[in-house]
Amino acid sequence: MRVLLAGASGAIGTRLVSQLVDRGHEVIGTSRSPDRAERLHALGAEPIVLDLLDPRAVRTAVFDTKPDAIIHQATALAGLRDFRHFDRSFAQTNRLRTDGTDALLAAAQQARVGRLVAQSFANHRYARQGGPVKTEQDPLDPSPVPTMRETEAAMAYLDQAVTDAGGIALRYGNFYGDPDDGLVQAVRSRSFPIVGDGGGVWSFLHLDDAAAATVLALERGAAGIYNVVDDEPAPTRVWLPELARIVGAKPPQRFPRWLARLFAGQAPVVMATESRGASNAKAKRELGWTLRYPSWREGFVDAYT
Ligand SMILES: NC(=O)c1ccc[n+]([C@@H]2O[C@H](COP(=O)([O-])OP(=O)(O)OC[C@H]3O[C@@H](n4cnc5c(N)ncnc54)[C@H](OP(=O)(O)O)[C@@H]3O)[C@@H](O)[C@H]2O)c1
């Protein structure tokens, strides 16, 4: 297939370019920077400069490059630090998930592009009730933390708009595998504590496995939503000390909920204590996806030691 990949220069995008090229696809990869475009060329993509927030440019790019499929992996999450003002920190990503998605969908419809796959997210979104691991059928949190409302709404918007248009939204777990991973840096500096009972469940995913699932979704996925996560959703009290041990950091500090809330705000507390993880059964069953790193336990070791 001829694939237009928005966000080709990013942490998942670069891995995706390589895997798509390996599978025989032709990739047109976007970046806003000519320097990063050079790197895309070296990876085997045909680079183009594109700002997803410029709908006219998006339309032109789609008509000029004539793809069979579009993949949306554009986010602005690198260097994220301030989780107290969650929506403010995610504002640009939220625009990419709403306005950026709209621009791609409009252009895809006009140019009759048949397939669209977009990045969504699984963690911290499912209702904080019932079992620890949720499927795509389970309800989303009806009352998100106030500081996260816009971010949750942007992801819900993307899921709905993409699937309404016959596309695929991939709800990924927390990515890891990037050498500059912000979470790993926080664990190394002991600034990521276990909060309360550490009962919030997180799903993880190695970037290589994320790219592999994305290629399969492109090739054989049906319209709809897929959780794309590893096999071992785990409570914070389990994965956090293990990650600290693996990267050679001191064990994480422990904060009561009230103290963590004082320091970091409500969103990180809820993520650390109430979040639910996600099940990958549908992605494995329907996409024939096998993970190179079925558990973050071996993935963290491979990526960070
Ligand atoms: N994705 C997640 O859910 C998530 C969540 C938390 C933390 N992280 C971590 O954050 C780090 C990377 O974050 P990231 O994936 O956002 O950054 P990234 O690796 O830099 O990827 C972002 C991609 O989006 C593109 N992009 C950004 N704004 C754009 C725009 N206006 N128009 C077109 N393309 C645009 C960037 O392209 P150009 O800049 O080249 O134009 C780049 O290709 C990783 O360590 C990851 O693990 C990710």
Side-chain angles (χ1 to χ4, degrees), residues 144-162:
V145 171
T147 55
M148 299 173 79
R149 268 187 208 139
E150 290 168 17
T151 304
E152 300 286 340
M155 291 187 280
Y157 181 88
L158 179 146
D159 289 353
Q160 192 73 46
V162 167

PDB file of all heavy atoms in Angstrom, residues 144-162:
ATOM      1  N   PRO A 144     -14.481  12.057  34.397  1.00  0.00           N
ATOM      2  CA  PRO A 144     -13.026  12.208  34.507  1.00  0.00           C
ATOM      3  C   PRO A 144     -12.653  13.316  35.493  1.00  0.00           C
ATOM      4  O   PRO A 144     -13.474  14.203  35.765  1.00  0.00           O
ATOM      5  CB  PRO A 144     -12.596  12.611  33.092  1.00  0.00           C
ATOM      6  CG  PRO A 144     -13.772  12.478  32.210  1.00  0.00           C
ATOM      7  CD  PRO A 144     -14.986  12.403  33.069  1.00  0.00           C
ATOM      8  N   VAL A 145     -11.442  13.255  35.981  1.00  0.00           N
ATOM      9  CA  VAL A 145     -10.909  14.322  36.831  1.00  0.00           C
ATOM     10  C   VAL A 145     -11.063  15.651  36.076  1.00  0.00           C
ATOM     11  O   VAL A 145     -10.748  15.714  34.883  1.00  0.00           O
ATOM     12  CB  VAL A 145      -9.414  14.032  37.101  1.00  0.00           C
ATOM     13  CG1 VAL A 145      -8.739  15.206  37.790  1.00  0.00           C
ATOM     14  CG2 VAL A 145      -9.261  12.745  37.907  1.00  0.00           C
ATOM     15  N   PRO A 146     -11.556  16.707  36.747  1.00  0.00           N
ATOM     16  CA  PRO A 146     -11.812  17.974  36.036  1.00  0.00           C
ATOM     17  C   PRO A 146     -10.629  18.479  35.212  1.00  0.00           C
ATOM     18  O   PRO A 146     -10.823  18.967  34.099  1.00  0.00           O
ATOM     19  CB  PRO A 146     -12.165  18.946  37.168  1.00  0.00           C
ATOM     20  CG  PRO A 146     -12.761  18.074  38.227  1.00  0.00           C
ATOM     21  CD  PRO A 146     -12.037  16.762  38.153  1.00  0.00           C
ATOM     22  N   THR A 147      -9.415  18.339  35.717  1.00  0.00           N
ATOM     23  CA  THR A 147      -8.256  18.873  34.966  1.00  0.00           C
ATOM     24  C   THR A 147      -7.906  18.033  33.743  1.00  0.00           C
ATOM     25  O   THR A 147      -7.022  18.410  32.970  1.00  0.00           O
ATOM     26  CB  THR A 147      -7.010  18.952  35.868  1.00  0.00           C
ATOM     27  OG1 THR A 147      -6.791  17.651  36.427  1.00  0.00           O
ATOM     28  CG2 THR A 147      -7.178  19.986  36.959  1.00  0.00           C
ATOM     29  N   MET A 148      -8.574  16.874  33.590  1.00  0.00           N
ATOM     30  CA  MET A 148      -8.286  15.994  32.439  1.00  0.00           C
ATOM     31  C   MET A 148      -9.446  15.949  31.445  1.00  0.00           C
ATOM     32  O   MET A 148      -9.378  15.204  30.467  1.00  0.00           O
ATOM     33  CB  MET A 148      -8.016  14.553  32.921  1.00  0.00           C
ATOM     34  CG  MET A 148      -6.847  14.385  33.841  1.00  0.00           C
ATOM     35  SD  MET A 148      -6.759  12.697  34.504  1.00  0.00           S
ATOM     36  CE  MET A 148      -6.037  11.812  33.153  1.00  0.00           C
ATOM     37  N   ARG A 149     -10.479  16.753  31.710  1.00  0.00           N
ATOM     38  CA  ARG A 149     -11.696  16.605  30.896  1.00  0.00           C
ATOM     39  C   ARG A 149     -11.464  16.850  29.410  1.00  0.00           C
ATOM     40  O   ARG A 149     -11.960  16.109  28.558  1.00  0.00           O
ATOM     41  CB  ARG A 149     -12.777  17.564  31.407  1.00  0.00           C
ATOM     42  CG  ARG A 149     -13.670  16.913  32.424  1.00  0.00           C
ATOM     43  CD  ARG A 149     -14.840  17.793  32.794  1.00  0.00           C
ATOM     44  NE  ARG A 149     -15.235  17.454  34.158  1.00  0.00           N
ATOM     45  CZ  ARG A 149     -15.584  18.313  35.085  1.00  0.00           C
ATOM     46  NH1 ARG A 149     -15.595  19.602  34.809  1.00  0.00           N
ATOM     47  NH2 ARG A 149     -15.922  17.905  36.275  1.00  0.00           N
ATOM     48  N   GLU A 150     -10.717  17.907  29.105  1.00  0.00           N
ATOM     49  CA  GLU A 150     -10.514  18.238  27.676  1.00  0.00           C
ATOM     50  C   GLU A 150      -9.702  17.145  26.978  1.00  0.00           C
ATOM     51  O   GLU A 150      -9.946  16.810  25.820  1.00  0.00           O
ATOM     52  CB  GLU A 150      -9.787  19.581  27.548  1.00  0.00           C
ATOM     53  CG  GLU A 150     -10.653  20.755  27.943  1.00  0.00           C
ATOM     54  CD  GLU A 150      -9.861  22.048  28.089  1.00  0.00           C
ATOM     55  OE1 GLU A 150      -8.715  22.126  27.586  1.00  0.00           O
ATOM     56  OE2 GLU A 150     -10.391  22.983  28.716  1.00  0.00           O
ATOM     57  N   THR A 151      -8.747  16.600  27.713  1.00  0.00           N
ATOM     58  CA  THR A 151      -7.890  15.559  27.129  1.00  0.00           C
ATOM     59  C   THR A 151      -8.696  14.285  26.877  1.00  0.00           C
ATOM     60  O   THR A 151      -8.589  13.655  25.816  1.00  0.00           O
ATOM     61  CB  THR A 151      -6.700  15.290  28.077  1.00  0.00           C
ATOM     62  OG1 THR A 151      -6.030  16.532  28.282  1.00  0.00           O
ATOM     63  CG2 THR A 151      -5.750  14.263  27.504  1.00  0.00           C
ATOM     64  N   GLU A 152      -9.530  13.918  27.859  1.00  0.00           N
ATOM     65  CA  GLU A 152     -10.388  12.736  27.691  1.00  0.00           C
ATOM     66  C   GLU A 152     -11.367  12.964  26.536  1.00  0.00           C
ATOM     67  O   GLU A 152     -11.613  12.066  25.726  1.00  0.00           O
ATOM     68  CB  GLU A 152     -11.165  12.450  28.981  1.00  0.00           C
ATOM     69  CG  GLU A 152     -10.305  12.180  30.206  1.00  0.00           C
ATOM     70  CD  GLU A 152      -9.639  10.813  30.201  1.00  0.00           C
ATOM     71  OE1 GLU A 152     -10.110   9.930  29.478  1.00  0.00           O
ATOM     72  OE2 GLU A 152      -8.631  10.639  30.910  1.00  0.00           O
ATOM     73  N   ALA A 153     -11.896  14.184  26.466  1.00  0.00           N
ATOM     74  CA  ALA A 153     -12.862  14.482  25.398  1.00  0.00           C
ATOM     75  C   ALA A 153     -12.191  14.431  24.024  1.00  0.00           C
ATOM     76  O   ALA A 153     -12.793  13.961  23.045  1.00  0.00           O
ATOM     77  CB  ALA A 153     -13.489  15.856  25.632  1.00  0.00           C
ATOM     78  N   ALA A 154     -10.951  14.879  23.933  1.00  0.00           N
ATOM     79  CA  ALA A 154     -10.249  14.866  22.639  1.00  0.00           C
ATOM     80  C   ALA A 154     -10.021  13.424  22.166  1.00  0.00           C
ATOM     81  O   ALA A 154     -10.165  13.110  20.978  1.00  0.00           O
ATOM     82  CB  ALA A 154      -8.918  15.603  22.749  1.00  0.00           C
ATOM     83  N   MET A 155      -9.677  12.540  23.109  1.00  0.00           N
ATOM     84  CA  MET A 155      -9.470  11.136  22.724  1.00  0.00           C
ATOM     85  C   MET A 155     -10.795  10.482  22.321  1.00  0.00           C
ATOM     86  O   MET A 155     -10.856   9.716  21.352  1.00  0.00           O
ATOM     87  CB  MET A 155      -8.790  10.375  23.864  1.00  0.00           C
ATOM     88  CG  MET A 155      -7.351  10.825  24.065  1.00  0.00           C
ATOM     89  SD  MET A 155      -6.434   9.830  25.248  1.00  0.00           S
ATOM     90  CE  MET A 155      -7.017  10.507  26.793  1.00  0.00           C
ATOM     91  N   ALA A 156     -11.846  10.811  23.070  1.00  0.00           N
ATOM     92  CA  ALA A 156     -13.159  10.262  22.716  1.00  0.00           C
ATOM     93  C   ALA A 156     -13.598  10.786  21.347  1.00  0.00           C
ATOM     94  O   ALA A 156     -14.185  10.049  20.538  1.00  0.00           O
ATOM     95  CB  ALA A 156     -14.186  10.633  23.793  1.00  0.00           C
ATOM     96  N   TYR A 157     -13.295  12.040  21.087  1.00  0.00           N
ATOM     97  CA  TYR A 157     -13.637  12.635  19.784  1.00  0.00           C
ATOM     98  C   TYR A 157     -12.931  11.880  18.663  1.00  0.00           C
ATOM     99  O   TYR A 157     -13.544  11.511  17.645  1.00  0.00           O
ATOM    100  CB  TYR A 157     -13.236  14.119  19.765  1.00  0.00           C
ATOM    101  CG  TYR A 157     -13.583  14.782  18.460  1.00  0.00           C
ATOM    102  CD1 TYR A 157     -14.838  15.359  18.269  1.00  0.00           C
ATOM    103  CD2 TYR A 157     -12.682  14.790  17.395  1.00  0.00           C
ATOM    104  CE1 TYR A 157     -15.176  15.938  17.056  1.00  0.00           C
ATOM    105  CE2 TYR A 157     -13.018  15.364  16.182  1.00  0.00           C
ATOM    106  CZ  TYR A 157     -14.258  15.940  16.009  1.00  0.00           C
ATOM    107  OH  TYR A 157     -14.597  16.487  14.807  1.00  0.00           O
ATOM    108  N   LEU A 158     -11.632  11.671  18.855  1.00  0.00           N
ATOM    109  CA  LEU A 158     -10.864  10.955  17.824  1.00  0.00           C
ATOM    110  C   LEU A 158     -11.436   9.550  17.599  1.00  0.00           C
ATOM    111  O   LEU A 158     -11.676   9.138  16.452  1.00  0.00           O
ATOM    112  CB  LEU A 158      -9.388  10.882  18.229  1.00  0.00           C
ATOM    113  CG  LEU A 158      -8.453  10.146  17.269  1.00  0.00           C
ATOM    114  CD1 LEU A 158      -7.063  10.794  17.254  1.00  0.00           C
ATOM    115  CD2 LEU A 158      -8.311   8.660  17.583  1.00  0.00           C
ATOM    116  N   ASP A 159     -11.684   8.819  18.686  1.00  0.00           N
ATOM    117  CA  ASP A 159     -12.221   7.451  18.553  1.00  0.00           C
ATOM    118  C   ASP A 159     -13.502   7.457  17.707  1.00  0.00           C
ATOM    119  O   ASP A 159     -13.682   6.636  16.804  1.00  0.00           O
ATOM    120  CB  ASP A 159     -12.558   6.863  19.928  1.00  0.00           C
ATOM    121  CG  ASP A 159     -11.327   6.520  20.766  1.00  0.00           C
ATOM    122  OD1 ASP A 159     -10.203   6.611  20.248  1.00  0.00           O
ATOM    123  OD2 ASP A 159     -11.519   6.164  21.951  1.00  0.00           O
ATOM    124  N   GLN A 160     -14.385   8.410  18.075  1.00  0.00           N
ATOM    125  CA  GLN A 160     -15.690   8.455  17.414  1.00  0.00           C
ATOM    126  C   GLN A 160     -15.568   8.880  15.955  1.00  0.00           C
ATOM    127  O   GLN A 160     -16.135   8.242  15.049  1.00  0.00           O
ATOM    128  CB  GLN A 160     -16.587   9.450  18.180  1.00  0.00           C
ATOM    129  CG  GLN A 160     -18.046   9.391  17.806  1.00  0.00           C
ATOM    130  CD  GLN A 160     -18.724   8.138  18.346  1.00  0.00           C
ATOM    131  OE1 GLN A 160     -18.535   7.797  19.493  1.00  0.00           O
ATOM    132  NE2 GLN A 160     -19.480   7.452  17.509  1.00  0.00           N
ATOM    133  N   ALA A 161     -14.838   9.960  15.709  1.00  0.00           N
ATOM    134  CA  ALA A 161     -14.750  10.498  14.342  1.00  0.00           C
ATOM    135  C   ALA A 161     -14.094   9.473  13.406  1.00  0.00           C
ATOM    136  O   ALA A 161     -14.562   9.252  12.277  1.00  0.00           O
ATOM    137  CB  ALA A 161     -13.947  11.802  14.351  1.00  0.00           C
ATOM    138  N   VAL A 162     -13.048   8.847  13.884  1.00  0.00           N
ATOM    139  CA  VAL A 162     -12.320   7.898  13.037  1.00  0.00           C
ATOM    140  C   VAL A 162     -13.172   6.661  12.745  1.00  0.00           C
ATOM    141  O   VAL A 162     -13.270   6.210  11.597  1.00  0.00           O
ATOM    142  CB  VAL A 162     -10.971   7.512  13.704  1.00  0.00           C
ATOM    143  CG1 VAL A 162     -10.332   6.312  13.026  1.00  0.00           C
ATOM    144  CG2 VAL A 162     -10.016   8.709  13.676  1.00  0.00           C
TER     145      VAL A 162
END
